[in-house]
Amino acid sequence: MTTTTTPVDAAEPRDDAPTRTTGIAAPKWYAPGPLLRTYGPLVAIGVLALVLLVWAPNSLTAFRLGNLGKYCAWAIAAVGIGLAWGRGGMLVMGQGVFFGLGGYAMAMHMKLEAAGPDGVPDFMTLYGNGTMPGWWEPFRSGPFTIFAIVALPAVVSFLLGYAILKRRVKGAYFAILTQALAVAFSTLLIATIKQTGGFNGLNTFTTFFGQNVYDPNFKKNLYMIAAGLVIVCLVVVWQLYRSRFGELLVATRDAEERIRFLGYDPANIKLVAFVVAAVMASIGGAMFAPIAGIISPSNVDAAASIMLLAGVALGGRASLLGPALGAIAVGYGQSALSEQFPTQWTYFQGALFIFVVLLLPGGIASLWPKLKERWPTRSARDEVAAPDAEVPA
Amino acid sequence: MDALTTPFLTGTATGAILLLAALGLSLTFGQMGVINMANGEFLMAGAYAAYVTQQVITSTGISILVAIPVAFLIAGLLGLLLEVSVIQWMYRRPLDTLLVTVGVALVLQQLAKDLFGAQGDPVRPPTWLRGSISVFGYAWPHRQLFTIILAVASLVALNAVLKYSSFGRQIRATVQNRDLAETLGVSTRNVDRITFFLGSGLAGVGGVAIAMISGTNPTLGTTYIIPAFLVVVAGGVGQLKGTVIAAWVVGVVTAYLTDWTSGSMAQVLTFALVVVFLQVRPQGLFTVRTRSLA
């Protein structure tokens, strides 16, 4: 299967084209000023940081802030999906697995904290004979848990990615395999009620690294951590996108064979993006568990993974801020609409997928350049006039 | 003996259902590069078609015979509708069809919940399907045998259509080289539509078999869609024999693994085995050899 270039995807890389001087005369569309080109996205991230870290905690109620914290957890995972799918062209349909690895690792630590030293989590005595499986033991340690939240998804995604990508399995096959992984993972969780809490998942936490999770001040701090991590992840991908790696990733997405002929191994490039995306999903999950107060198979299964994709698709998969904003918007929409129309929510969800992907494949982010075309500024006129701006049919 | 024959027989029956679900996927993927995630919902539509037919025709013996063509038509028309309304606009973006059809699957599931209730309804099998035959001492339900016969019959019919009808020749031509087929006067647009109709219809027939075994359920599509895709991935696209062998193997292997470990562990292990298998044959079991690089 050949990678088909959509008009939007093709147009996208221009937006943050490298500004490094390469000795070649810069194309005309650099004209708007290299400084703004380079650091404009950073300003946008800064504005988002102000909204999330200054405005929101001061103006939202504790309940709304808690919800926003949940959306931020999804947004962290969504930023990773933007990297793997938007820039890397890998449709990752199983990010719930990595979200779950992080979420469960954190939840296990909190369960053990609640159980006290040498204690056993309550559900194990409830459903089992009160003995704790050995692999729970290391999660008593806070530092190990944090290490595991990063290392576990990295190892799993590396092994899976290596096995699949190195054999040049790609496109739809890759997507299906990641979704199959999500299905297998959630079924396994549901079946192991004595070890992982089964369908109920892990819930009723009391403390998070010694802090009382019911303390309103601490809840706010927890939100601040999640929102801060969204910003950190955005800065990380911003740097990745403008690096040589970011260029290679987009090039691999658009013409994998050419990259291979140029002497690179596309599998390695994609593997890095896949692993980074997995780690981000895991961090998102690790923030989700304490904020939501629960992590269960329904937060990590195939449907949850697809919800993450919906946000990314809506916001704009290949844009910098689109995935995060889209995830927050979909999270908000889900709470708002499912409260009002509990049964019709699924229709909205389905319709969202159909209309966004069918009519607006670049997401809302792709509307921006179109707006600029309609009210051409000097720089935008240059852009339209530039031969590079030609959009393939 | 029982421990060996039972999983083999039940696994073969599961494989037969997987085959009916996977044939449509494999056809449309091989020909158009389209991944239809709503194919599981066509199974569901077939199962509900069997249920509704039974409400209209109360005689179980006649209703099942009516249900098979009805399910084929209903699921097929749903597939055709999907192709005409959504998928035909997306042939340039095959990966995106995956997402769009996920949305369609969600809508269809919710529609089934609203129309028939979230609970699922039993479908009474006719008397001649209620017994069992003894195979090496294992009482093998007639229903499973029926599933296999249904799948084999559909396969033979599909194979005959592809091999001997002029229309089947057009399908094969389109699969092998779309541009060249078009040059020779084949309307590939029509071929695409009819392939979609056939593939979805076959899933509908699979739905009837599922209804006989476990009744209807709005979410039954989600149970089968991923194994069916694993079958397509492992079997390779463009040829029927790969799908047939892979469906049978996946069905039987999953049954044995379920017997030895548990249902959920078997899913994980089957997934792992497919990934391992792809190390050996990344293109699947059989594939149409081309000179393309991708």
Side-chain angles (χ1 to χ4, degrees):
Chain A
M1 235 172 62
T2 51
T3 333
T4 323
T5 325
T6 70
V8 177
D9 285 352
E12 190 54 43
R14 280 189 297 126
D15 278 346
D16 33 32
T19 46
R20 262 184 274 107
T21 39
T22 47
I24 307 161
K28 218 176 173 185
W29 41 269
Y30 278 158
L35 213 59
L36 189 68
R37 275 265 161 215
T38 314
Y39 296 104
L42 213 51
V43 174
I45 295 176
V47 172
L48 183 65
L50 281 178
V51 171
L52 285 180
L53 294 169
V54 179
W55 174 79
N58 290 317
S59 4
L60 293 182
T61 60
F63 173 73
R64 296 269 169 219
L65 199 63
N67 275 349
L68 187 59
K70 261 200 306 196
Y71 315 149
C72 282
W74 286 322
I76 297 171
V79 173
I81 296 177
L83 175 70
W85 179 35
R87 299 283 168 137
M90 290 175 284
L91 182 50
V92 282
M93 298 186 79
Q95 287 307 87
V97 174
F98 305 115
F99 192 82
L101 285 177
Y104 270 89
M106 185 61 94
M108 280 160 69
H109 177 65
M110 289 195 290
K111 281 310 264 186
L112 289 169
E113 242 184 303
D118 302 321
V120 168
D122 47 9
F123 72 90
M124 287 186 183
T125 34
L126 196 61
Y127 302 119
N129 53 8
T131 51
M132 195 169 71
W135 51 270
W136 269 69
E137 202 56 52
F139 288 92
R140 274 192 205 285
S141 144
F144 175 83
T145 306
I146 291 176
F147 169 74
I149 286 167
V150 176
L152 218 55
V155 170
V156 173
S157 61
F158 178 81
L159 290 178
L160 184 72
Y162 193 87
I164 299 179
L165 296 170
K166 277 285 179 187
R167 295 301 293 160
R168 300 189 192 177
V169 174
K170 55 193 166 196
Y173 278 26
F174 180 87
I176 298 303
L177 286 175
T178 52
Q179 202 187 13
L181 181 69
V183 171
F185 182 65
S186 57
T187 343
L188 195 63
L189 284 174
I190 292 173
T192 52
I193 189 162
K194 286 174 197 160
Q195 288 88 37
T196 65
F199 188 75
N200 305 321
L202 300 175
N203 48 31
T204 54
F205 312 122
T206 53
T207 54
F208 176 84
F209 290 91
Q211 307 282 322
N212 180 3
V213 287
Y214 296 105
D215 176 18
N217 271 330
F218 177 65
K219 275 190 171 174
K220 204 172 187 173
N221 288 341
L222 207 52
Y223 162 79
M224 294 296 270
I225 301 174
L229 282 169
V230 176
I231 303 300
V232 169
C233 287
L234 282 173
V235 174
V236 167
V237 291
W238 170 72
Q239 181 53 38
L240 280 180
Y241 288 172
R242 61 198 285 271
S243 70
R244 185 173 285 263
F245 165 78
E247 282 174 57
L248 273 174
L249 189 63
V250 171
T252 309
R253 175 194 71 188
D254 293 339
E256 188 164 334
E257 297 306 331
R258 276 193 223 175
I259 290 299
R260 203 189 313 280
F261 291 154
L262 286 172
Y264 296 99
D265 186 349
N268 290 345
I269 299 164
K270 285 164 113 179
L271 193 54
V272 171
F274 185 52
V275 171
V276 171
V279 171
M280 283 186 182
S282 174
I283 293 172
M287 289 318 297
F288 181 86
I291 291 175
I294 183 169
I295 185 102
S296 73
S298 65
N299 301 126
V300 307
D301 60 5
S305 313
I306 284 167
M307 274 310 291
L308 286 172
L309 283 179
V312 177
L314 177 69
R317 58 183 90 156
S319 67
L320 178 66
L321 293 177
L325 293 179
I328 293 175
V330 167
Y332 176 76
Q334 188 173 13
S335 319
L337 288 175
S338 59
E339 274 166 29
Q340 272 185 296
F341 318 96
T343 52
Q344 282 97 327
W345 162 243
T346 319
Y347 289 122
F348 281 112
Q349 208 183 342
L352 180 76
F353 259 110
I354 299 170
F355 288 111
V356 168
V357 180
L358 186 64
L359 303 175
L360 202 62
I364 289 176
S366 66
L367 292 177
W368 178 239
K370 280 184 194 147
L371 277 179
K372 275 205 290 193
E373 260 174 59
R374 188 156 293 185
W375 290 286
T377 55
R378 204 187 126 69
S379 61
R381 266 201 310 274
D382 290 348
E383 235 174 281
V384 174
D388 297 54
E390 284 289 306
V391 173
Chain B
M1 205 60 208
D2 222 28
L4 282 180
T5 47
T6 314
F8 184 81
L9 294 173
T10 50
T12 309
T14 317
I17 292 180
L18 286 182
L19 176 65
L20 286 170
L23 277 175
L25 293 174
S26 167
L27 273 179
T28 48
F29 186 46
Q31 182 178 329
M32 305 163 233
V34 165
I35 310 289
N36 180 14
M37 293 296 279
N39 208 44
E41 275 53 48
F42 296 152
L43 284 174
M44 173 197 70
Y48 275 107
Y51 168 73
V52 171
T53 316
Q54 198 163 72
Q55 304 306 304
V56 179
I57 306 168
T58 40
S59 157
T60 51
I62 302 170
S63 85
I64 187 174
L65 295 179
V66 179
I68 294 172
V70 166
F72 181 82
L73 269 179
I74 288 183
L77 288 176
L78 276 175
L80 196 61
L81 186 67
L82 178 66
E83 204 278 345
V84 173
S85 61
V86 178
I87 289 178
Q88 65 160 323
W89 311 109
M90 313 197 55
Y91 281 124
R92 286 172 181 280
R93 301 185 275 145
L95 208 51
D96 281 359
T97 57
L98 222 156
L99 287 176
V100 167
T101 49
V102 164
V104 173
L106 287 173
V107 169
L108 286 177
Q109 269 177 40
Q110 188 61 37
L111 204 63
K113 274 182 198 158
D114 288 349
L115 286 178
F116 299 99
Q119 284 308 311
D121 307 284
V123 177
R124 281 170 297 127
T127 41
W128 45 269
L129 270 186
R130 283 180 205 157
S132 56
I133 49 168
S134 172
V135 183
F136 293 114
Y138 167 63
W140 197 28
H142 280 160
R143 286 177 295 187
Q144 293 193 359
L145 186 63
F146 168 74
T147 310
I148 295 167
I149 293 171
L150 202 58
V152 170
S154 309
L155 184 67
V156 169
L158 179 68
N159 197 38
V161 166
L162 286 181
K163 246 193 177 139
Y164 302 113
S165 73
S166 73
F167 163 69
R169 271 192 297 278
Q170 293 185 357
I171 290 189
R172 283 184 293 140
T174 311
V175 172
Q176 280 175 16
N177 194 327
R178 175 173 291 266
D179 295 337
L180 204 53
E182 208 153 331
T183 321
L184 294 172
V186 175
S187 165
T188 55
R189 291 294 307 116
N190 278 342
V191 169
D192 287 350
R193 290 205 178 111
I194 296 173
T195 311
F196 233 93
F197 175 78
L198 280 181
S200 314
L202 286 173
V205 175
V208 177
I210 296 174
M212 290 300 135
I213 291 175
S214 55
T216 64
N217 194 315
T219 57
L220 72 82
T222 50
T223 335
Y224 288 95
I225 189 79
I226 292 298
F229 267 121
L230 288 183
V231 165
V232 176
V233 170
V237 291
Q239 288 183 39
L240 289 183
K241 59 181 174 185
T243 314
V244 175
I245 295 172
W248 187 62
V249 170
V250 168
V252 170
V253 166
T254 315
Y256 274 111
L257 290 172
T258 309
D259 199 42
W260 293 334
T261 57
S262 65
S264 52
M265 203 59 202
Q267 270 197 21
V268 180
L269 290 174
T270 312
F271 169 74
L273 285 177
V274 170
V275 173
V276 170
F277 174 74
L278 287 180
Q279 301 303 301
V280 192
R281 295 196 74 95
Q283 304 283 319
L285 210 50
F286 298 105
T287 183
V288 182
R289 291 200 187 281
T290 64
R291 283 168 181 270
S292 92
L293 285 162

